[in-house]
Amino acid sequence: MKKLLLALPLIAGASWAGTTLYSGAQTQPAYNRLLEQLNDSNLFVVKSIEYEAGFTSSTAVTEVRLNDEDDSDTKFYLQHKISHSPVSMVPENARFGAANIVTTLVTDKFDDEETKAILESFEGGEPFVMNTDVAMDGATTSEITVNKFKRVNEGIDFTSDGATINLATTAEGAIKGDGKLHDITVVEEGANSMSMSGSTIDFAYEKINELYLDVDFDMNVDKVRVTNPELSERPLFELQNAFYEIEQKLDND
């Protein structure tokens, strides 16, 4: 279950990539095609649980399960609120496009007490919110906000100021984006403390064929610091200005 929670931002980001028009009568067929594309990826098993169409807005619920999970209870659900009016003049979301989708986790589907406690540790009890605008040509822009998190468990105090991830996709499915992981601190009572700050990512990938991807991924971390006040005022470990990069370029041969 913890692995699923860690995968939520990734699944949320991928859940509307490479879609076509969501306006009018095309909304539900496009949603169904999206589920087929995700299942073809062999990363997840996804299926529509319910879909309720309206004149200017629709709602959908998607079940998501990792392929390597045999336990049918190890799954979660995403709620999608789809506004498919071509023009929105709401001040906080003025736009012209095919659709706007707000995606959140359905939190009341979890029965495991530990999972419930983890979810309640997010600010507002909501792990993330993804807001996606779909253009008339099928391109998308999304902002994923991972909410602040604070949990004390077995003498370990874990605090995160959240994260923000921006995604842009083309109708053909190419994705690029960036993100910022805000400050994280882990304090163990009577032992070491760890803090990480200033983490950013930039990424882009494009599918070549059924098997290969062109990938660019950069990650920067301003500072990672491990301390133990009982031993010394100096840090046990400190890493500054760390940089990690992946570049993969492939051809059809």
Side-chain angles (χ1 to χ4, degrees):
M1 184 58 68
K2 290 182 180 178
K3 181 166 63 173
L4 287 176
L5 290 173
L6 292 173
L8 284 177
L10 174 62
I11 295 169
S15 63
W16 297 107
T19 60
T20 55
L21 293 180
Y22 274 87
S23 57
Q26 292 301 312
T27 304
Q28 188 169 6
Y31 169 72
N32 292 332
R33 287 195 298 273
L34 174 61
L35 298 186
E36 293 175 4
Q37 292 169 6
L38 289 174
N39 280 321
D40 287 343
S41 72
N42 295 321
L43 295 174
F44 318 109
V45 175
V46 297
K47 65 178 180 179
S48 177
I49 299 301
E50 61 183 69
Y51 190 99
E52 184 175 342
F55 181 65
T56 59
S57 62
S58 302
T59 60
V61 176
T62 305
E63 180 188 279
V64 183
R65 181 167 52 86
L66 296 185
N67 254 350
D68 61 353
E69 297 288 353
D70 295 328
D71 185 357
S72 61
D73 293 331
T74 310
K75 56 192 173 186
F76 58 88
Y77 301 87
L78 299 176
Q79 171 80 49
H80 312 288
K81 296 181 180 179
I82 308 167
S83 173
H84 43 76
S85 173
V87 178
S88 172
M89 295 307 296
V90 178
E92 62 270 20
N93 188 31
R95 64 175 176 82
F96 178 81
N100 174 261
I101 307 106
V102 177
T103 301
T104 55
L105 177 70
V106 182
T107 57
D108 59 5
K109 294 284 190 179
F110 295 98
D111 297 323
D112 179 75
E113 293 302 322
E114 182 180 359
T115 302
K116 287 182 179 179
I118 292 174
L119 294 175
E120 290 170 357
S121 299
F122 284 94
E123 188 174 73
E126 190 77 68
F128 71 90
V129 176
M130 183 178 74
N131 195 303
T132 300
D133 282 328
V134 184
M136 288 297 185
D137 64 355
T140 71
T141 56
S142 301
E143 181 182 71
I144 304 169
T145 301
V146 181
N147 291 328
K148 293 181 179 180
F149 179 90
K150 182 174 178 61
R151 177 167 167 77
V152 179
N153 186 40
E154 297 180 353
I156 299 176
D157 186 340
F158 183 95
T159 302
S160 168
D161 286 340
T164 303
I165 301 172
N166 299 297
L167 296 171
T169 77
T170 66
E172 292 75 29
I175 293 180
K176 66 178 180 178
D178 59 72
K180 181 174 178 60
L181 182 64
H182 303 300
D183 293 353
I184 294 175
T185 59
V186 181
V187 179
E188 185 177 1
E189 185 177 353
N192 296 341
S193 300
M194 187 277 288
S195 63
M196 184 171 70
S197 60
S199 301
T200 60
I201 58 172
D202 288 278
F203 55 90
Y205 76 80
E206 184 172 358
K207 195 169 185 178
I208 300 174
N209 53 35
E210 294 299 321
L211 299 176
Y212 301 114
L213 296 173
D214 276 351
V215 177
D216 286 293
F217 178 86
D218 298 331
M219 181 173 182
N220 292 273
V221 180
D222 283 351
K223 183 183 290 187
V224 178
R225 184 180 175 93
V226 179
T227 60
N228 188 320
E230 294 185 359
L231 298 179
S232 171
E233 294 183 357
R234 294 173 59 86
L236 299 176
F237 172 83
E238 186 171 272
L239 177 67
Q240 297 188 40
N241 300 320
F243 177 71
Y244 179 74
E245 178 182 17
I246 297 175
E247 182 177 0
Q248 173 177 285
K249 301 294 182 184
L250 300 170
D251 60 36
N252 286 325
D253 295 329

